[in-house]
Amino acid sequence: MIDLHIHSNYSDDGEFTPLELVEQCGAQGVELMAITDHNCARAAGEAKEAARERGLRYLAGIEIDCTFEGANFHMLGYGIDDASPDFLEVEENIRVQVREASLEMLEKTRKLGFLVEEWEMRRLSEKSRWPDSWTGEMFAEVLLAKPEYKEHPLLMPYREGGSRADSALVNFYWDFYSQGKPCHADIRIPDMRKVLDIIHQNHGLAVLAHPGMNLKGREQLLEGIAALGIDGIEAFSSYHTPEQALKRMEQARTYGLFFTCGSDYHGKTKPSISLGGHGCGIPEETLRGELARLLEKAL
């Protein structure tokens, strides 16, 4: 089994340590793994040797926020030089902005009619590797736990039996805190061209993450993104139906790119997503042939 999109607690919304993820992958039968934290490549320093000792193949990875034609995207980088100062710069760029953005999100959450105190958010984030970053999932966790909002109409879809309850925390993020939503706070993220340069200059391969989410309503942008020099498309994802995954696979082939498969496993923020849960039914031999360039970089 292969899973090339996993998040550790080096992401502001990940639950498990890199070592815990290595153990989980071993137990679940994942033979090739990549931890791809948001704007942070630190996990590889902890996970590579542990994966090798467990008999797993490991790809150093990262998932970098970037923008193209005014739209926000996530770019996966694989086989990177994870110790490069370029990735520390990517991380620091986000860290210096998240405090201000978190406070903006707090004010916008209050404007929805919810009373949330700063200390409540700090209590939830204090043990995080990103203590100044308050995510939409964290706001959901605080709000859904408040007894005074048990019957609040904005929260009912995210409670048991609700239409958005399957992954309540991350769905709340997508519905209220993602780009264009009422509680979104802009962060200055790099242009996609710069991100591709960083990945390629550090010996990595660049793959467009979960396009079914970020290209929704913007399908016309894919041709331009492919022309920038990406290497692959994440066709098989927990966000894609089988039909959507096959469409993305064919698009990859049309543009001369390879395709990958990744679950986007986070732990508690996305409880419906399991390791290896990307729905790829491609025969192992065919899939490994598709990923040959990546496998050459795996430890």
Side-chain angles (χ1 to χ4, degrees):
M1 188 189 303
I2 292 170
D3 196 337
L4 299 180
H5 194 156
I6 304 169
H7 289 270
S8 79
N9 62 353
Y10 278 106
S11 291
D12 57 5
D13 54 358
E15 179 179 4
F16 301 107
T17 69
L19 296 183
E20 288 172 331
L21 291 173
V22 169
E23 291 300 313
Q24 289 181 32
C25 283
Q28 294 295 320
V30 176
E31 300 172 354
L32 172 64
M33 65 178 291
I35 297 178
T36 52
D37 285 311
H38 297 298
N39 307 298
C40 180
R42 295 175 185 263
E46 297 181 20
K48 283 187 286 190
E49 184 59 33
R52 184 187 294 112
E53 290 175 356
R54 228 187 183 286
L56 308 180
R57 301 193 73 180
Y58 187 88
L59 268 170
I62 192 170
E63 183 177 22
I64 305 178
D65 292 318
C66 58
T67 183
F68 178 74
E69 300 293 337
N72 291 349
F73 291 90
H74 292 173
M75 190 65 64
L76 295 158
Y78 293 115
I80 57 173
D81 176 4
D82 55 280
S84 168
D86 289 339
F87 298 114
L88 293 177
E89 185 177 335
V90 167
E91 179 182 340
E92 184 62 19
N93 174 52
I94 299 299
R95 283 192 184 275
V96 298
Q97 298 184 70
V98 293
R99 173 64 178 150
E100 182 179 341
S102 294
L103 292 173
E104 182 181 341
M105 291 160 65
L106 176 63
E107 288 304 311
K108 289 182 175 181
T109 303
R110 289 170 173 168
K111 287 180 180 179
L112 289 179
F114 296 114
L115 178 60
V116 184
E117 299 292 349
E118 188 172 332
W119 66 263
E120 293 177 285
M121 301 307 299
R122 286 193 175 281
R123 183 176 62 183
L124 198 58
S125 68
E126 62 184 355
K127 295 182 181 179
S128 167
R129 297 184 190 270
W130 294 75
D132 291 325
S133 178
W134 304 339
T135 66
E137 293 92 337
M138 291 170 64
F139 280 102
E141 191 170 349
V142 168
L143 293 173
L144 289 169
K146 285 179 172 286
E148 61 266 38
Y149 298 137
K150 186 177 181 180
E151 304 293 333
H152 197 290
L154 286 182
L155 297 179
M156 294 306 292
Y158 308 93
R159 298 198 182 279
E160 186 175 355
S163 61
R164 302 287 281 162
D166 58 334
S167 290
L169 302 185
V170 72
N171 284 338
F172 195 77
Y173 156 76
W174 283 113
D175 295 343
F176 289 95
Y177 296 85
S178 60
Q179 187 182 27
K181 302 300 182 180
C183 297
H184 178 71
D186 279 325
I187 287 180
R188 296 181 303 279
I189 57 177
D191 182 83
M192 188 179 289
R193 297 167 183 82
K194 180 177 180 180
V195 169
L196 291 176
D197 285 344
I198 292 171
I199 291 171
H200 289 149
Q201 287 168 11
N202 287 282
H203 315 296
L205 296 171
V207 173
L208 184 66
H210 42 61
M213 295 301 295
N214 297 103
L215 280 173
K216 191 178 296 183
R218 307 182 181 104
E219 286 291 333
Q220 74 281 2
L221 296 182
L222 181 57
E223 183 175 359
I225 291 172
L228 291 181
I230 64 172
D231 302 289
I233 293 175
E234 186 178 52
F236 292 89
S237 165
S238 56
Y239 296 114
H240 298 167
T241 66
E243 293 75 21
Q244 290 170 335
L246 291 175
K247 173 185 174 182
R248 299 302 176 187
M249 183 179 70
E250 291 305 317
Q251 287 175 328
R253 288 173 171 166
T254 296
Y255 292 114
L257 310 172
F258 60 79
F259 64 85
T260 65
C261 47
S263 65
D264 201 15
Y265 178 71
H266 282 68
K268 71 176 183 179
T269 61
K270 300 182 180 182
S272 65
I273 297 176
S274 60
L275 283 169
H278 43 65
C280 182
I282 302 296
E284 192 78 5
E285 183 178 341
T286 301
L287 184 58
R288 289 186 180 274
E290 187 71 28
L291 299 177
R293 291 173 65 195
L294 285 176
L295 288 169
E296 289 176 359
K297 293 176 173 287
L299 298 175

